[in-house]
Amino acid sequence: MGVIERVQARPVKAKRAPVSAPAGLPLDMLLQGDCIAIMRTLPAASVDMIFADPPYNLQLGGDLFRPEGGRVDAVDDAWDQFDSYGAYDAFCREWLAEARRILKPDGTIWVIGSYHNIFRVGALMQDQGFWILNDIVWRKANPMPNFKGTRFTNAHETLIWASQGEKAKYTFNYRAMKTLNDELQMRSDWVLPICAGQERLKRDGHKAHPTQKPEALLYRVMLACTKPGDVVLDPFFGTGTTGAVARRLGRRWIGIERENSYCEVARERIAAALPLDESALTIMQSPRSQPRVAFGTLVETGMVTPGTELRDAKGRWRVRVRADGSLEHREATGSIHKLGATLQGAPSCNGWTFWHIEHEGQLKPLDALRQLYLLATEP
């Protein structure tokens, strides 16, 4: 495309500028156009993290129908279609080369994909010189079934997390991840639901984007490897999940998206995203039979908002929830279990039953919200 459209987080009239003449780093802006052309205009070593959700090159053949006859709203858009694997590889080499140039020496890149493309992308990343730190399996709590019954249900996607090189420094908020996971070391398999209900954006009764990612996924990624004020670039912005979460967490963002319909949705969504207050953004730093649900999962999914007040049933202590799922009481901080034990002077505490929250006009134990989450994510 021959122009870049820069759109600020709040709805304003679009500003247009030539691709060859960027006016500095366009923070908190949606740039509309071809991602490779726009990435070439951005300064070298200028962003702290890149989150990329590129086309998966699904190569779907024909329509897919549910057993009752309903058509599945699958990915059959032009942006996901390539003439050959060679054409897809060439596209990925170009945008990955620009990503490497734009990323700071201590920055990291995340790329998400499915079995259709992630192995090809991973090899291309290594060819470019990226050093793979982890592959994360996002296990979907509520995946779409395999309607034909000819394969296993495809219940996960893979994220590759990589640094600029084997010896490159990078940010990893280990302590925040452990706190988010109820004081257990965060593993590389993440169980999170796909977009559904109110989070699934729609236009005229149809999905606004066929592969919209849940905010909980981006929340965990950003909390893991960025700091407040860091710049996050998303070259395949879609409906703006990255921008909305970045705004909530106090990160700066740059989005690139080609499709007009997605840009319109993204602008509205990011403008409505409420940033967290400063105290809630303070996260714990590292000194170097029923499904288990971490309290941090309720924070990631928005069931409990950072800054929310919790208290014990007798009203002796009031605490605030922070962005990483830890609690704060004056100078003391800790997980729902650890802080509860500390305040009582007890050896242990079940934070799920000890701490209570206002929900639907009633004071309820946190466990009530955990049960609601389990019901909502049942397969």
Side-chain angles (χ1 to χ4, degrees):
M1 292 194 177
V3 296
I4 299 176
E5 185 179 4
R6 302 187 175 199
V7 185
Q8 296 179 356
R10 294 178 179 81
V12 295
K13 290 185 178 179
K15 300 176 183 178
R16 295 181 179 269
V19 168
S20 59
L25 198 61
L27 296 176
D28 305 326
M29 302 281 277
L30 194 167
L31 311 179
Q32 186 170 353
D34 176 76
C35 70
I36 295 170
I38 294 176
M39 289 170 79
R40 286 174 179 155
T41 71
L42 300 179
S46 59
V47 304
D48 299 284
M49 192 193 90
I50 295 173
F51 181 85
D53 183 10
Y56 286 10
N57 194 26
L58 295 178
Q59 305 292 335
L60 294 180
D63 292 335
L64 180 63
F65 295 92
R66 301 175 188 274
E68 77 281 3
R71 184 176 179 274
V72 176
D73 190 5
V75 183
D76 54 5
D77 304 81
W79 51 259
D80 193 56
Q81 297 172 3
F82 294 82
D83 292 335
S84 64
Y85 285 131
Y88 183 75
D89 291 351
F91 166 72
C92 288
R93 282 192 196 95
E94 284 196 77
W95 75 258
L96 282 169
E98 289 306 312
R100 186 164 172 79
R101 182 186 65 82
I102 295 166
L103 199 61
K104 291 179 180 178
D106 59 354
T108 57
I109 181 172
W110 292 75
V111 184
I112 187 170
S114 66
Y115 68 87
H116 304 85
N117 71 323
I118 198 64
F119 304 110
R120 307 185 75 86
V121 173
L124 292 170
M125 290 175 71
Q126 291 178 314
D127 290 345
Q128 296 274 3
F130 288 111
W131 184 260
I132 296 177
L133 299 168
N134 275 116
D135 67 318
I136 304 293
V137 174
W138 166 32
R139 187 157 65 86
K140 302 172 183 178
N142 49 345
M144 181 182 294
N146 182 273
F147 294 111
K148 292 183 178 180
T150 55
R151 302 184 188 184
F152 296 109
T153 296
N154 186 25
H156 77 278
E157 293 185 29
T158 301
L159 297 95
I160 294 175
W161 179 39
S163 66
Q164 286 279 45
E166 181 179 3
K167 300 185 184 302
K169 294 182 179 180
Y170 56 91
T171 296
F172 178 51
N173 299 317
Y174 169 80
R175 183 62 201 167
M177 289 294 96
K178 190 173 180 181
T179 305
L180 195 68
N181 199 38
D182 279 359
E183 294 299 326
L184 294 176
Q185 190 176 73
M186 183 74 76
R187 293 164 34 131
S188 62
D189 54 332
W190 298 354
V191 181
L192 296 168
I194 61 174
C195 282
Q198 291 185 341
E199 187 180 0
R200 169 61 74 178
L201 302 175
K202 294 188 177 182
R203 282 292 182 272
D204 301 322
H206 299 285
K207 294 178 183 177
H209 194 291
T211 62
Q212 180 187 337
K213 296 301 182 288
E215 291 194 7
L217 184 68
L218 271 296
Y219 190 108
R220 188 174 295 188
V221 165
M222 281 188 218
L223 200 65
C225 63
T226 64
K227 303 179 291 293
D230 279 358
V231 179
V232 179
L233 168 70
D234 186 338
F236 307 96
F237 203 56
T239 54
T241 303
T242 299
V245 175
R247 190 169 186 223
R248 283 175 59 201
L249 287 175
R251 276 61 168 168
R252 311 303 298 271
W253 58 272
I254 302 170
I256 304 174
E257 177 53 52
R258 188 179 66 182
E259 305 296 321
N260 283 325
S261 60
Y262 300 160
C263 289
E264 291 173 5
V265 174
R267 294 168 199 156
E268 296 174 10
R269 179 184 190 180
I270 296 168
L274 298 176
L276 305 181
D277 65 54
E278 212 168 295
S279 61
L281 282 173
T282 304
I283 61 173
M284 301 180 72
Q285 295 300 315
S286 171
R288 261 238 68 133
S289 140
Q290 71 175 6
R292 196 184 69 81
V293 177
F295 178 61
T297 300
L298 303 188
V299 178
E300 288 176 320
T301 55
M303 290 189 73
V304 178
T305 306
T308 297
E309 182 182 87
L310 307 180
R311 60 182 185 267
D312 66 296
K314 297 179 181 179
R316 293 168 293 175
W317 297 285
R318 295 173 184 266
V319 298
R320 283 166 53 83
V321 178
R322 302 199 301 180
D324 61 358
S326 63
L327 305 183
E328 179 180 36
H329 176 74
R330 297 175 184 167
E331 301 301 316
T333 60
S335 69
I336 59 172
H337 313 295
K338 184 177 179 181
L339 189 57
T342 299
L343 293 175
Q344 296 178 89
S348 63
C349 170
N350 182 348
W352 289 108
T353 56
F354 180 74
W355 294 113
H356 289 62
I357 187 172
E358 287 284 347
H359 181 70
E360 295 179 341
Q362 295 181 331
L363 189 65
K364 298 181 181 179
L366 284 178
D367 190 56
L369 268 66
R370 176 169 61 169
Q371 297 308 316
L372 286 175
Y373 174 84
L374 288 169
L375 284 172
T377 56
E378 275 186 345

